[in-house]
C-alpha cells in the first residue's frame, strides 16, 4: 500500500493517469515531486501572480516538516519533498479550516472490493482562517488541520461528550454531513464524488496489488486472506468540490477523547466482523495446510486443480462471501463493485499497461507471442561479392581483381556478427617440452619476411624429451630456468646476441648430451 500511502508515489500514480484522463483525475491538487519536477515548479511560481505552495516531506506524518511558501529559494532542491498547490479558498465552518478523515476498508484486491465507513472524523484548525500572506504564512495552526499540531494550541477544545459530536475542534463525520445538509447542500452527491475519488485512487495501483497478492498467496481461491484499513484525508473547497490530500497507510487509532473511542472502536470491530476473522477459520486453514504437506511427503506429488474446477471454486466462494457481507456490513457501505462498475475498468487497464511498461513485462510478453507465432519464410539474402561491392566504390583503372578475389564474400557490417566472430588465435610450440605460444594470426600475416636469416635450420626442429627438463632443474650450478628463458636462449644463439653465463652453460649442457636429442 506504500504505492499510495507515500506522498511521492501517490503523486506519481495519480499523475500518470491524469495525463491519460485529465477530466477524470482532477480530484487532487497540482503536485510536484522535488527535485525531479523542480523546473516545472519554478515556471509555475514565476507564471502566477501570488502563488502559494505547501511543502511536505515525502515520507512523514502528523504534520512534521510541513511549511508554506511562494519563493523557490525556500525549497531545498537537495532534499526530497512533495510540493502541492495550496487551496486558498477552502470551505469554512465557524471560520475555521477543516478536513475529513474517511476510513476505507479493502477486503480484496483481486478483484477489488472497497467499503467506506459511514462515520469518521472532522479535524479543525484552531485559528480563524485567513488567506496566506507574509504575516500569517508561518502560523501552522491556521493553515494545517493535523490533530498532532493543533492539540498543543491553547485554543484547542477537546470533545468530552461522545453524544455531542458537533462540538470542539474534532468532530464526527456524520455531524459535518448534517451541518452541510442543513445549509442546503446535496450530501448524497458529495458522498458519490468522494466514493468516486476513492475508487479511482485505488484503481491506479490495483494491478500491482493483485500481482503481489497472487505471488504471495497463489492457492488462496477465496481472495480473502488480507485486508487493509486506510485513512483518506479529504478537503472541500468553497464550491463543495472534494480533493484527496493524502492516504494514510496506518491511520492513528489512539483514543485521546471519548469521541475517538466511540468512532474508532466501531471502525475496527466492524471491520474484523466483515472480513470474518474467527478462530474457527484459523483452525480450518492450518488443518488443511497440514493435510496438504502430509500428502506431499507421502506421495511426493502436489495435487493440481484443473483450471475449470478452480474457476468454479472461485465463483462459489465469491457467492458465499457476498451473502455473508450483506448480513454483516454494519457501518460499512460497499462502493465497489456495484452496479455499472464497468466504467472503472478502463482506469484499471490503463494502470496495468503503465505498470507493465515500467516493469518491462509488456516487452517480454510481446517477445513470447512473436516466438510462438509462425515465422514467414524469407528468401535467402543474395551473397554480396567483391564484384558487387566494386560497383558502389569504383576501383582504380590499373588494378584488376583476380578470380579468387571475385568470389570472396564481403564481411557483414552487423555489429552482432562482428562481435560474435573474435580474432582467431592458435597455439604453436617450438619444442616438445615448451608450452604453446599464443600469437595473433593477423599480426603474423603482416610479417612477409623474417627479420634475420636462420643459419641453423635444423635447430628449429629440436625436440627435447621431458626428462631432460627435470635434469636441468636439478643442476647445482644454475637455478631452474623457465620455458620462456630457454626460447630466448635459442634465439640469442641463432642471432648472435651475447647471453648471460647461465644461459650459455645451459645450452652447452644441451648440446653436450646429444643422446637426449630427437
Amino acid at each position: 500500500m506504500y504505492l499510495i500511502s507515500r506522498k511521492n508515489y501517490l503523486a506519481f500514480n495519480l499523475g500518470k493517469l491524469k495525463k491519460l484522463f485529465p477530466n477524470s483525475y482532477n480530484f487532487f491538487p497540482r503536485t510536484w515531486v522535488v527535485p525531479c519536477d523542480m523546473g516545472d515548479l519554478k515556471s509555475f511560481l514565476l507564471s502566477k501572480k501570488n502563488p502559494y505552495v505547501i511543502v511536505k516531506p515525502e515520507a512523514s506524518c502528523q504534520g512534521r516538516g510541513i511549511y508554506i511558501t511562494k519563493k523557490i529559494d525556500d525549497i531545498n532542491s537537495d532534499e526530497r519533498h512533495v510540493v502541492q498547490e495550496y487551496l486558498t479558498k477552502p470551505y469554512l465552518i465557524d471560520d475555521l479550516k477543516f478536513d475529513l478523515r474517511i476510513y476505507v476498508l479493502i477486503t480484496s484486491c483481486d478483484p477489488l472490493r472497497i467499503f467506506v465507513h459511514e462515520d469518521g472524523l472532522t479535524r479543525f484548525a484552531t485559528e480563524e482562517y485567513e488567506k496566506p500572506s507574509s504575516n500569517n504564512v508561518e502560523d501552522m495552526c491556521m493553515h494545517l488541520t493535523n490533530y498532532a499540531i493543533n492539540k498543543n494550541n491553547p485554543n484547542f477544545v477537546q470533545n468530552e461528550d461522545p453524544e455531542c459530536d458537533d462540538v470542539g475542534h474534532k468532530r464526527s463525520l456524520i455531524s459535518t454531513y448534517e451541518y452541510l445538509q442543513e445549509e442546503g447542500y446535496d450530501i448524497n452527491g458529495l458522498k458519490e464524488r468522494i466514493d468516486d475519488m476513492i475508487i479511482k485512487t485505488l484503481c491506479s495501483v490495483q494491478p500491482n496489488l493483485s500481482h503481489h497478492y497472487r505471488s504471495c498467496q497463489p492457492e488462496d481461491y477465496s481472495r480473502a486472506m488480507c485486508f487493509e484499513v486506510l485513512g483518506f484525508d479529504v478537503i472541500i473547497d468553497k464550491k463543495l468540490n472534494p480533493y484527496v490530500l493524502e492516504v494514510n497507510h496506518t491511520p492513528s487509532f489512539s483514543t485521546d477523547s471519548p469521541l475517538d473511542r466511540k468512532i474508532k472502536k466501531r471502525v475496527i470491530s466492524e471491520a474484523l466482523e466483515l472480513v470474518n476473522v474467527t478462530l474457527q477459520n484459523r483452525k480450518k486453514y492450518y488443518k488443511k495446510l497440514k493435510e496438504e504437506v502430509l500428502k506431499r511427503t507421502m506421495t511426493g506429488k502436489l495435487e493440481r486443480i484443473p483450471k475449470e474446477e478452480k474457476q468454479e471454486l472461485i465463483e462459489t466462494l465469491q457467492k458465499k462471501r457476498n451473502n455473508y457481507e450483506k448480513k454483516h456490513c454494519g457501518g460499512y457501505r460497499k462502493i465497489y463493485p456495484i452496479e455499472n462498475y464497468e466504467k472503472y475498468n478502463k482506469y484499471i487497464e490503463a494502470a496495468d499497461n503503465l505498470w507493465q511498461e515500467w516493469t518491462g513485462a509488456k516487452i517480454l510478453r510481446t517477445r513470447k507471442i512473436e516466438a510462438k507465432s509462425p515465422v514467414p519464410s524469407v528468401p535467402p539474402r543474395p551473397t554480396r561479392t567483391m564484384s558487387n561491392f566494386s560497383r558502389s566504390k569504383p576501383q582504380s583503372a590499373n588494378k584488376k581483381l583476380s578470380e579468387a578475389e571475385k568470389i570472396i564474400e564481403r564481411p557483414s557490417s552487423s555489429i552482432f556478427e562482428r562481435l560474435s566472430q573474435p580474432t582467431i588465435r592458435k597455439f604453436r610450440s617450438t619444442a616438445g617440452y615448451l608450452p604453446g605460444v599464443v600469437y595473433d594470426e593477423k599480426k603474423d600475416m603482416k610479417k612477409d619476411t623474417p627479420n634475420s636469416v636462420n643459419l641453423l635450420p635444423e635447430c628449429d626442429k629440436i625436440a627435447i624429451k621431458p626428462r631432460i627438463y627435470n635434469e636441468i632443474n636439478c643442476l647445482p650450478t644454475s637455478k631452474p630456468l623457465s620455458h620462456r628463458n630457454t626460447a630466448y636462449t635459442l634465439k640469442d644463439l641463432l642471432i648472435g646476441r651475447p647471453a648471460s653465463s647461465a644461459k650459455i652453460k645451459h645450452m652447452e649442457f644441451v648440446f653436450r648430451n646429444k643422446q637426449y636429442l630427437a
Side-chain angles (χ1 to χ4, degrees):
M1 282 296 177
Y2 67 90
L3 294 173
I4 55 174
S5 60
R6 285 176 63 104
K7 299 177 182 63
N8 56 337
Y9 290 133
L10 177 65
F12 284 141
N13 290 309
L14 295 183
K16 289 177 182 178
L17 289 181
K18 187 176 182 179
K19 293 180 180 179
L20 300 176
F21 310 99
N23 296 327
S24 300
Y25 277 80
N26 56 356
F27 54 82
F28 65 100
R30 191 172 180 180
T31 309
W32 300 269
V33 180
V34 177
C36 300
D37 302 331
M38 199 66 180
D40 295 340
L41 176 61
K42 186 175 182 180
S43 61
F44 170 78
L45 294 176
L46 294 175
S47 62
K48 296 292 182 178
K49 183 178 180 181
N50 194 24
Y52 277 93
V53 293
I54 181 167
V55 185
K56 307 176 183 179
E58 63 179 21
S60 68
C61 59
Q62 298 181 351
R64 290 192 292 266
I66 299 178
Y67 60 93
I68 301 171
T69 183
K70 66 175 182 179
K71 298 179 181 179
I72 191 66
D73 297 335
D74 295 341
I75 302 173
N76 188 0
S77 60
D78 296 333
E79 297 179 358
R80 296 183 178 180
H81 291 94
V82 173
V83 183
Q84 284 185 337
E85 184 180 2
Y86 187 78
L87 301 177
T88 57
K89 296 180 180 180
Y91 190 90
L92 304 179
I93 296 179
D94 299 336
D95 295 331
L96 298 176
K97 185 180 178 181
F98 67 92
D99 69 346
L100 309 178
R101 168 61 61 85
I102 299 175
Y103 294 103
V104 179
L105 172 64
I106 304 172
T107 59
S108 175
C109 59
D110 184 27
L112 197 61
R113 301 175 76 89
I114 310 171
F115 295 82
V116 173
H117 201 273
E118 63 180 3
D119 205 356
L121 294 172
T122 305
R123 305 173 301 176
F124 286 82
T126 50
E127 298 288 344
E128 292 186 359
Y129 177 77
E130 296 177 0
K131 286 188 177 181
S133 62
S134 58
N135 298 327
N136 60 20
V137 74
E138 295 181 359
D139 191 353
M140 294 293 102
C141 293
M142 178 188 296
H143 300 288
L144 299 183
T145 58
N146 301 74
Y147 171 72
I149 293 177
N150 288 280
K151 69 178 182 180
N152 299 321
N153 194 320
N155 297 332
F156 184 80
V157 177
Q158 189 71 270
N159 188 292
E160 301 295 341
D161 187 3
E163 301 301 328
C164 297
D165 55 356
D166 57 349
V167 178
H169 290 92
K170 183 184 283 190
R171 306 176 188 179
S172 67
L173 183 63
I174 294 177
S175 66
T176 305
Y177 285 153
E178 291 176 354
Y179 174 84
L180 293 174
Q181 192 169 9
E182 291 175 359
E183 294 293 323
Y185 294 104
D186 183 13
I187 297 303
N188 293 328
L190 176 62
K191 289 182 179 180
E192 290 178 359
R193 280 180 284 175
I194 292 175
D195 296 345
D196 183 68
M197 291 191 313
I198 293 171
I199 295 171
K200 289 178 180 177
T201 302
L202 292 169
C203 284
S204 64
V205 295
Q206 190 274 338
N208 205 330
L209 290 177
S210 62
H211 168 74
H212 283 88
Y213 186 84
R214 289 180 181 180
S215 302
C216 297
Q217 304 294 342
E219 304 299 330
D220 179 28
Y221 305 120
S222 64
R223 302 286 194 265
M225 237 178 181
C226 304
F227 71 97
E228 192 77 51
V229 179
L230 301 175
F232 274 73
D233 290 344
V234 178
I235 191 171
I236 302 173
D237 66 0
K238 196 172 183 179
K239 297 181 180 179
L240 216 71
N241 295 320
Y243 295 89
V244 173
L245 294 180
E246 59 185 53
V247 181
N248 294 275
H249 179 227
T250 54
S252 174
F253 286 117
S254 60
T255 54
D256 296 339
S257 66
L259 181 64
D260 281 338
R261 182 174 180 82
K262 174 187 174 182
I263 295 174
K264 295 177 181 179
K265 183 180 179 180
R266 283 189 62 196
V267 170
I268 296 174
S269 60
E270 291 174 356
L272 295 176
E273 186 179 1
L274 183 59
V275 298
N276 197 15
V277 177
T278 61
L279 186 60
Q280 295 178 354
N281 292 338
R282 177 188 175 91
K283 289 181 179 179
K284 288 181 182 179
Y285 171 75
Y286 281 109
K287 183 179 179 180
K288 183 180 178 181
L289 195 63
K290 288 181 181 179
E291 291 177 356
E292 292 177 355
V293 172
L294 184 61
K295 287 181 182 179
R296 188 163 60 249
T297 54
M298 296 297 292
T299 61
K301 297 180 181 180
L302 182 63
E303 294 185 358
R304 297 285 184 181
I305 303 176
K307 190 175 182 179
E308 297 178 355
E309 295 182 7
K310 186 186 296 184
Q311 189 64 29
E312 292 178 0
L313 181 59
I314 292 173
E315 293 177 358
T316 304
L317 292 174
Q318 289 294 337
K319 291 179 181 178
K320 291 182 179 180
R321 188 175 183 185
N322 291 333
N323 296 331
Y324 177 84
E325 289 175 348
K326 290 179 181 178
K327 300 177 182 178
H328 300 84
C329 277
Y332 282 95
R333 176 171 47 89
K334 188 176 182 179
I335 64 173
Y336 190 90
I338 54 175
E339 296 180 358
N340 301 325
Y341 71 91
E342 292 83 3
K343 63 181 181 180
Y344 295 102
N345 291 340
K346 59 181 180 180
Y347 306 128
I348 296 177
E349 292 176 0
D352 189 19
N353 292 332
L354 291 172
W355 178 69
Q356 288 186 16
E357 290 177 0
W358 181 66
T359 57
K362 192 172 184 179
I363 300 173
L364 295 175
R365 186 177 300 175
T366 306
R367 289 177 180 175
K368 289 181 181 179
I369 294 172
E370 292 176 354
K372 291 181 180 179
S373 61
V375 181
S377 58
V378 181
R381 186 178 179 181
T383 305
R384 300 185 67 179
T385 60
M386 290 297 293
S387 59
N388 296 334
F389 179 67
S390 62
R391 296 174 185 173
S392 59
K393 287 186 178 182
Q395 300 288 337
S396 176
N398 300 330
K399 187 175 180 180
K400 295 183 179 181
L401 297 175
S402 62
E403 294 295 330
E405 290 177 342
K406 289 181 180 180
I407 63 173
I408 295 176
E409 186 175 349
R410 182 189 176 193
S412 174
S413 60
S414 173
I415 296 177
F416 175 77
E417 293 181 3
R418 285 190 280 110
L419 293 177
S420 62
Q421 298 176 1
T423 304
I424 300 173
R425 292 177 177 271
K426 295 183 180 180
F427 291 90
R428 182 178 64 186
S429 58
T430 56
Y433 74 100
L434 300 177
V437 180
V438 181
Y439 75 102
D440 196 338
E441 189 177 17
K442 294 181 180 180
K443 293 181 179 180
D444 285 3
M445 291 174 63
K446 297 179 181 179
K447 298 179 181 180
D448 297 334
T449 55
N451 296 330
S452 60
V453 180
N454 192 355
L455 301 177
L456 298 173
E458 64 277 4
C459 295
D460 287 348
K461 299 182 180 180
I462 295 176
I464 304 175
K465 295 182 180 180
R467 59 179 180 176
I468 195 171
Y469 177 67
N470 298 332
E471 294 178 8
I472 292 172
N473 286 340
C474 298
L475 285 176
T477 56
S478 62
K479 296 181 181 180
L481 298 176
S482 65
H483 300 167
R484 197 174 184 85
N485 288 341
T486 307
Y488 283 144
T489 304
L490 291 171
K491 186 177 180 181
D492 294 341
L493 290 175
L494 294 174
I495 296 175
R497 185 184 300 170
S500 62
S501 59
K503 293 182 179 180
I504 294 172
K505 291 180 181 179
H506 166 66
M507 295 307 301
E508 289 178 355
F509 174 81
V510 171
F511 287 105
R512 187 167 58 250
N513 297 273
K514 295 182 180 180
Q515 64 272 17
Y516 295 108
L517 299 178

